[in-house]
Amino acid sequence: MSFRIERNDITKVHTDAIVNTANPMPTVGSGTDAAVYTAAGVDLLLAERKKIGVIERGQAAYTPAFRLLATNGIRYIIHTVGIRWKGGNQGETEIMRNCYRNSLRIAKELNCKSISIPLLATGNYGFPKGMALHIALDEISQFLFENEMEIVLVVYDKESFKVSSKIFNGVQSFINEHYIGQKRDINNGSEIRAFYLDRDDYRRRRREEELEETSRITGSSLQENREDFETEKQITPIKSISIDDYMKQNEGGLNFQDLLRKHIIDKGLDNPTVYKRSIIVDKKLFSKIINGHIPNKHSVMALGLALELNKDEYVRFLATANYALNPAEMFDIIVQYCVENKIYNVMEVDAYLFQHDVPCFNDKA
């Protein structure tokens, strides 16, 4: 089971099946439909399509892929018919959901191991891109929860793929506030890249910059200011904490596997639900994890999303696997935004990563 977003021409992908945004009548349409007919062989595909006849909106049917089998290994073309956006009161949303459901159902019946799907109805039909993306991710997510298949959401270009402007702007504002991966010298416009291991390292560097600034303003030596700062740190009283409070803060000293089990139980989940929600952790890997294996950072991050942890829980969960959110990594910043805003669907998080030209979870697995 896997999911990824890929910028490509759907006639150039390599999956068992592709979905075509078809005309309801057995004729060659425009856009993606025309491209699919051309790649498969117009005469061959049209003759087969005529055998099917009219396809109602929201329904789907399949044909062989003809020439696409030899060129790309594509065995089937699943034709589905969307609907023009008319304001949202004409049943458009449910019809589009049916397009995805019926296309995926047919792929399953054909025993396809992989399928590529474009973002349906966002071209000539004018379906709002943000809403179309939400429908696609929701239906694909529900299908993958019950079925094993590799699903590729194919995007022809960046303009055809957009999360809602509200979410996009929210993510961008969060990045601007938290990301320290690069800074720009305002005086000459040149770009200065500064990558830090973690936020503690960043704070140490910032303290050093502040000490240098104090020395410049006061005329005192950098060493004197550093010594004053160290003395100030030494006399700062240490707040006492009871053993019970310490254990509570540290989840009783649980290791990664113990904390994973605890969250699963506390949230009323089961193992399959957690690894299926994570998308990139399969049953075999999850079994290894439960038995002591520490996976890579991005698998741990995906599991944390699957568990729907709050920010504090998420940070502690990563820490037990010896990982941390890195303010110098755009990937980490966007995931942190999603955690803080309770956006836990890994596919949806992938959409925000993709929109910002950041490799997605499946790319990191």
Side-chain angles (χ1 to χ4, degrees):
M1 178 179 71
S2 69
F3 168 81
R4 72 177 186 274
I5 303 169
E6 181 177 312
R7 189 174 290 127
N8 205 343
D9 178 339
I10 199 161
T11 65
K12 292 180 170 58
V13 298
H14 296 270
T15 50
D16 290 341
I18 62 172
V19 174
N20 177 36
T21 54
N23 191 295
M25 303 301 294
T27 184
V28 182
S30 59
T32 299
D33 191 40
V36 168
Y37 271 91
T38 300
V42 175
D43 293 340
L44 292 169
L45 184 54
L46 186 57
E48 195 70 21
R49 176 68 181 81
K50 286 179 179 178
K51 295 178 184 178
I52 297 170
V54 176
I55 301 176
E56 298 295 331
R57 299 195 182 277
Q59 299 303 307
Y62 75 94
T63 64
F66 298 106
R67 292 176 184 169
L68 283 170
L69 176 61
T71 57
N72 295 49
I74 299 169
R75 295 188 292 143
Y76 304 106
I77 300 170
I78 298 174
H79 307 265
T80 190
V81 180
I83 186 171
R84 188 175 302 279
W85 177 257
K86 298 178 182 178
N89 297 317
Q90 307 296 317
E92 297 99 315
T93 298
E94 190 58 29
I95 287 173
M96 292 313 304
R97 287 188 177 278
N98 285 335
C99 286
Y100 288 100
R101 289 172 190 165
N102 288 319
S103 296
L104 291 169
R105 173 184 54 78
I106 289 174
K108 179 181 178 181
E109 291 171 354
L110 293 170
N111 295 315
C112 293
K113 290 187 170 42
S114 58
I115 183 172
S116 294
I117 308 177
L119 199 56
L120 301 171
T122 57
N124 293 333
Y125 281 171
F127 216 91
K129 293 181 176 64
M131 185 179 298
L133 178 61
H134 173 76
I135 291 171
L137 295 178
D138 191 40
E139 291 301 324
I140 291 171
S141 179
Q142 290 185 48
F143 178 83
L144 284 179
F145 193 79
E146 300 292 339
N147 302 278
E148 294 286 335
M149 192 177 294
E150 176 189 347
I151 300 180
V152 183
L153 183 62
V154 178
V155 181
Y156 185 72
D157 56 36
K158 194 168 181 178
E159 283 304 308
S160 64
F161 178 94
K162 288 184 178 178
V163 298
S164 73
S165 58
K166 180 180 178 182
I167 292 292
F168 181 83
N169 292 337
V171 175
Q172 192 60 55
S173 296
F174 191 84
I175 290 170
N176 294 341
E177 181 180 353
H178 293 81
Y179 183 52
I180 64 171
Q182 66 180 34
K183 296 182 178 181
R184 186 171 296 278
D185 188 330
I186 297 174
N187 294 323
N188 60 26
S190 64
E191 190 173 71
I192 303 172
R193 294 184 178 273
F195 295 94
Y196 306 104
L197 292 176
D198 54 36
R199 189 167 292 277
D200 288 338
D201 185 48
Y202 171 66
R203 286 169 177 160
R204 285 192 294 272
R205 291 170 185 258
R206 288 292 300 140
R207 170 54 62 182
E208 194 68 18
E209 290 171 3
E210 290 168 3
L211 292 174
E212 290 174 359
E213 181 68 10
T214 300
S215 297
R216 185 184 66 79
I217 294 173
T218 64
S220 57
S221 72
L222 180 59
Q223 184 59 34
E224 287 174 342
N225 285 311
R226 191 177 290 116
E227 289 172 355
D228 289 343
F229 175 65
E230 292 300 325
T231 301
E232 179 183 330
K233 283 204 314 183
Q234 290 171 12
I235 64 174
T236 301
I238 299 173
K239 183 179 178 181
S240 63
I241 184 170
S242 70
I243 292 296
D244 289 341
D245 288 341
Y246 177 82
M247 295 292 281
K248 183 178 180 181
Q249 286 181 15
N250 292 275
E251 296 288 355
L254 300 178
N255 64 22
F256 175 68
Q257 280 73 25
D258 291 337
L259 188 54
L260 173 59
R261 292 189 188 95
K262 182 179 186 301
H263 282 311
I264 291 173
I265 294 169
D266 288 349
K267 295 179 181 293
L269 302 173
D270 54 33
N271 291 354
T273 297
V274 174
Y275 66 71
K276 287 179 179 180
R277 281 183 181 178
S278 78
I279 301 299
I280 64 172
V281 176
D282 59 18
K283 182 178 181 180
K284 182 178 179 181
L285 176 56
F286 191 83
S287 178
K288 289 174 63 179
I289 292 170
I290 287 293
N291 287 288
H293 172 69
I294 300 295
N296 66 31
K297 178 178 176 180
H298 300 95
S299 294
V300 175
M301 293 176 78
L303 287 171
L305 290 169
L307 290 165
E308 300 188 353
L309 305 178
N310 63 37
K311 171 69 181 307
D312 290 341
E313 291 172 334
Y314 195 82
V315 169
R316 193 175 296 120
F317 185 67
L318 292 180
T320 59
N322 291 320
Y323 300 124
L325 291 170
N326 187 345
E329 289 286 344
M330 186 75 79
F331 183 97
D332 290 22
I333 292 297
I334 293 175
V335 172
Q336 181 182 335
Y337 169 87
C338 292
V339 170
E340 292 188 13
N341 288 274
K342 295 180 169 50
I343 299 168
Y344 295 119
N345 186 322
V346 174
M347 293 183 190
E348 194 172 351
V349 177
D350 268 350
Y352 305 145
L353 292 165
F354 183 86
Q355 186 71 23
H356 286 84
D357 293 317
V358 177
C360 300
F361 267 100
N362 197 66
D363 301 319
K364 297 277 191 177

